């Protein structure tokens, strides 16, 4: 673990150089229409730069999570890069846990950079608790993708399919109307609220459920590193 902590700054820097730049480019492209619309509306009496920034970042964050989290495990094994990583006596489980944390930090840094760009281009604004919501959503959606990463290149597709399946199943089989609905409500991914942190307080129940599910998916992803032989590319 000490070796992983020493290696983490280099791991984070490498992640930012490779995938952080791609996330930032995607984020700027997606936020550009928001900034153009905000500049046009800046002279209006009802203009609120914070509202537009928050809405733009929420929409942008959904795609950035996919960019940030796909292939976190599988890419190294498919390309053979793991042979170079584990020349030193690193724990594979610890390394990929640290990789997930680096992805989370990279994702948050991109959101912070987009906030700075918006503040310079439009007007200074701060999205408040959006960064907390974004971290929870990354932990939730990113961990679902992480769980499939060792097995397939389509980890992000399967993660999104599982979310969609959970949403459809809850509408078709409400948890209060049948035993099957109650079981699927527990097994399938939860349906999180738009925000866990608002003026009314913290939605502790939903937050605990989402983070608990994310922890299980994250543990499954780490278990695949231990169970699937390193030489098996998938």
């Amino acid at each position: 673990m000490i070796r992983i902590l020493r290696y983490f700054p280099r791991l984070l820097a490498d992640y930012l150089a490779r995938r952080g730049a791609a996330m930032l480019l995607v984020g700027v492209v997606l936020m550009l229409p928001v900034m153009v619309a905000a500049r046009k509306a800046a002279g209006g009496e009802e203009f609120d730069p914070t509202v537009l920034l928050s809405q733009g970042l929420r929409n942008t964050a959904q795609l950035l999570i996919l960019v940030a989290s796909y292939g976190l495990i599988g890419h190294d094994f498919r390309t053979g890069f793991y042979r170079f990583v584990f020349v030193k006596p690193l724990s594979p489980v610890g390394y990929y846990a640290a990789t997930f944390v680096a992805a989370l930090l990279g994702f948050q840094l991109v959101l912070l950079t987009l906030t700075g760009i918006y503040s310079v281009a439009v007007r200074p604004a701060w999205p408040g608790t959006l960064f907390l919501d974004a971290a929870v959503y990354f932990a939730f959606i990113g961990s679902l993708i992480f769980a499939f990463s060792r097995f397939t290149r389509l980890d992000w597709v399967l993660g999104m399919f599982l979310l969609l399946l959970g949403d459809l199943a809850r509408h078709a089989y409400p948890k209060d109307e049948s035993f099957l609905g109650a079981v699927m409500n527990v097994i399938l991914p939860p349906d999180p609220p738009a925000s866990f942190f608002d003026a009314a307080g913290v939605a502790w129940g939903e937050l605990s459920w989402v983070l608990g599910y994310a922890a299980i998916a994250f543990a499954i992803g780490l278990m695949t590193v231990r169970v699937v032989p390193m030489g098996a590319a998938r």
Side-chain angles (χ1 to χ4, degrees):
M1 181 58 68
I2 295 178
R3 189 182 295 272
I4 292 292
L5 292 176
R6 290 177 179 173
Y7 185 73
F8 185 78
R10 183 180 301 177
L11 175 64
L12 178 59
D14 182 62
Y15 181 88
L16 292 175
R18 291 184 297 109
R19 202 171 302 194
M23 280 195 292
L24 183 58
L25 177 61
V26 171
V28 169
V29 170
L30 293 177
M31 285 293 293
L32 188 59
V34 177
M35 290 187 285
V36 171
R39 285 188 62 86
K40 291 181 178 179
E45 295 181 357
E46 298 181 357
F47 172 70
D48 187 341
T50 301
V51 172
L52 290 177
L53 172 62
S54 297
Q55 291 175 348
L57 287 181
R58 286 187 188 279
N59 294 332
T60 301
Q62 298 177 21
L63 181 57
L64 292 185
I65 290 174
L66 302 185
V67 178
S69 59
Y70 82 92
L72 287 180
I73 302 174
H75 180 266
D76 288 349
F77 288 92
R78 286 189 291 270
T79 60
F81 183 68
Y82 74 93
R83 294 187 179 92
F84 299 96
V85 173
F86 299 118
V87 167
K88 294 183 179 181
L90 293 175
S91 164
V93 172
Y95 175 82
Y96 286 107
T99 299
F100 188 86
V101 174
L104 170 59
L105 292 178
F107 167 72
Q108 293 283 55
L109 285 173
V110 169
L111 292 184
L112 183 61
T113 303
L114 292 175
T115 299
I117 294 173
Y118 179 95
S119 297
V120 171
V122 182
R123 188 177 296 176
W126 181 253
T129 59
L130 181 136
F131 287 97
L132 295 177
D133 283 321
V136 174
Y137 268 89
F138 182 93
F140 175 46
I141 299 175
S143 65
L144 293 180
I145 299 172
F146 188 77
F148 292 110
S149 180
R150 183 67 181 92
F151 297 110
T152 176
R153 298 173 185 268
L154 301 178
D155 49 2
W156 65 275
V157 175
L158 292 177
M160 293 299 97
F161 174 77
L162 198 58
L163 288 174
L164 178 61
L165 181 62
D167 187 55
L168 294 175
R170 284 189 176 83
H171 283 86
Y173 304 97
K175 63 178 181 179
D176 299 328
E177 297 182 6
S178 67
F179 176 74
L180 178 60
V183 172
M184 288 194 298
N185 185 63
V186 175
I187 295 177
L188 294 174
D191 183 18
S195 177
F196 298 93
F197 311 90
D198 53 32
V202 181
W204 290 111
E206 290 85 351
L207 181 61
S208 299
W209 187 18
V210 167
L211 290 181
Y213 201 94
I216 293 173
F218 181 64
I220 291 173
L222 293 179
M223 185 175 65
T224 65
V225 177
R226 295 182 62 92
V227 172
V228 181
M230 283 194 177
R234 295 173 184 255

